[in-house]
Amino acid sequence: MTTNLQPISSSNYLYDRDYCLWLEETAKLLRDRKLESLDFEHLIEEIEDMGKEKRRELKNRLIVLLMHLLKYQYQPEKRFASWVNTIWEQYYQIESLLEDSPSLKPYYLEIFSDCYSKAVRAASTETKLSANAFPTDAPFLPEDVINPDFIVVLVSQEEV
C-alpha cells in the first residue's frame, strides 16, 4: 500500500475526512516510530473509545443472555431451539471478551444487577409476562452465567 504520508495533525483534518485512511496512516506512523507526526488527540480518543466499546459490548451481550435465560426458565412451554442458540452465542461472546480482557471481570460483576433489571424489562416485553413474574433479584449468580456447566444444566432441563 502506498500512501502519501504527511504529518497527521488536527490542522489537516484527515481524521474527519477519511477515518479509514487516518487509521491506516496512524498505524504506519506507529510502526515506523514517527511519533512526531501522530495525531495524538484523536489517537488517545480512539484508544479510550475502544475500551468503552468493549464495555458496551459486554453489557449488551449480558442483557441479551440474561433475557434469554429468563425466557427459557419462565416460559418452558414456549422454548425454542433459537433461544438455546442465542444463549450459547452470547455466552461464547462474553467468554471471549473476558478471556481477551480479564480486566473486564470486575466490570461484569459491577453491571450484572443493572443488566438483570434491563433483561427483565426486555423479557417481559417479549414474553408478554408481567415484569412482576420475574424475581426482583437475579435467580442466577454472576459466576454461574459465565460457567458453561451451569448453562448446560439449565438448557437441558427439557428437550427443545
Side-chain angles (χ1 to χ4, degrees):
M1 170 177 86
T2 41
T3 60
N4 184 9
L5 278 182
Q6 52 183 302
I8 299 175
S9 67
S10 296
S11 62
N12 73 12
Y13 302 109
L14 181 58
Y15 178 85
D16 294 322
R17 287 182 306 174
D18 190 334
Y19 180 72
C20 285
L21 181 59
W22 177 85
L23 286 172
E24 291 170 11
E25 292 197 8
T26 298
K28 177 151 182 31
L29 289 169
L30 286 167
R31 270 192 300 281
D32 295 345
R33 307 288 194 267
K34 293 185 178 177
L35 303 182
E36 69 284 351
S37 298
L38 285 172
D39 174 2
F40 279 101
E41 179 183 331
H42 287 118
L43 182 58
I44 291 166
E45 182 180 312
E46 289 301 317
I47 290 171
E48 289 172 342
D49 284 349
M50 289 169 63
K52 290 176 189 172
E53 179 55 36
K54 293 297 180 189
R55 283 183 168 83
R56 270 191 301 275
E57 181 181 357
L58 177 60
K59 190 172 191 174
N60 291 336
R61 290 188 179 283
L62 181 55
I63 292 167
V64 173
L65 175 57
L66 290 169
M67 176 186 67
H68 278 78
L69 290 173
L70 286 169
K71 287 174 14 178
Y72 193 85
Q73 191 168 35
Y74 287 88
Q75 273 199 320
E77 72 283 358
K78 293 187 177 184
R79 288 181 177 159
F80 297 104
S82 65
W83 290 2
V84 175
N85 291 338
T86 299
I87 288 168
W88 280 114
E89 175 62 21
Q90 298 310 310
Y91 166 81
Y92 291 134
Q93 294 300 326
I94 290 170
E95 178 185 51
S96 179
L97 281 166
L98 295 176
E99 283 176 358
D100 290 348
S101 300
S103 64
L104 285 174
K105 181 78 182 278
Y107 179 71
Y108 167 84
L109 297 171
E110 177 186 321
I111 64 170
F112 189 86
S113 181
D114 181 56
C115 289
Y116 176 73
S117 297
K118 289 179 169 97
V120 165
R121 285 193 296 274
S124 173
T125 300
E126 269 198 37
T127 63
K128 307 293 187 240
L129 294 172
S130 164
N132 296 329
F134 303 101
T136 304
D137 294 322
F140 330 104
L141 295 173
E143 298 78 21
D144 287 341
V145 173
I146 55 175
N147 178 343
D149 296 332
F150 171 80
I151 302 291
V152 165
V153 169
L154 186 73
V155 298
S156 63
Q157 288 175 357
E158 271 187 33
E159 289 302 311
V160 178

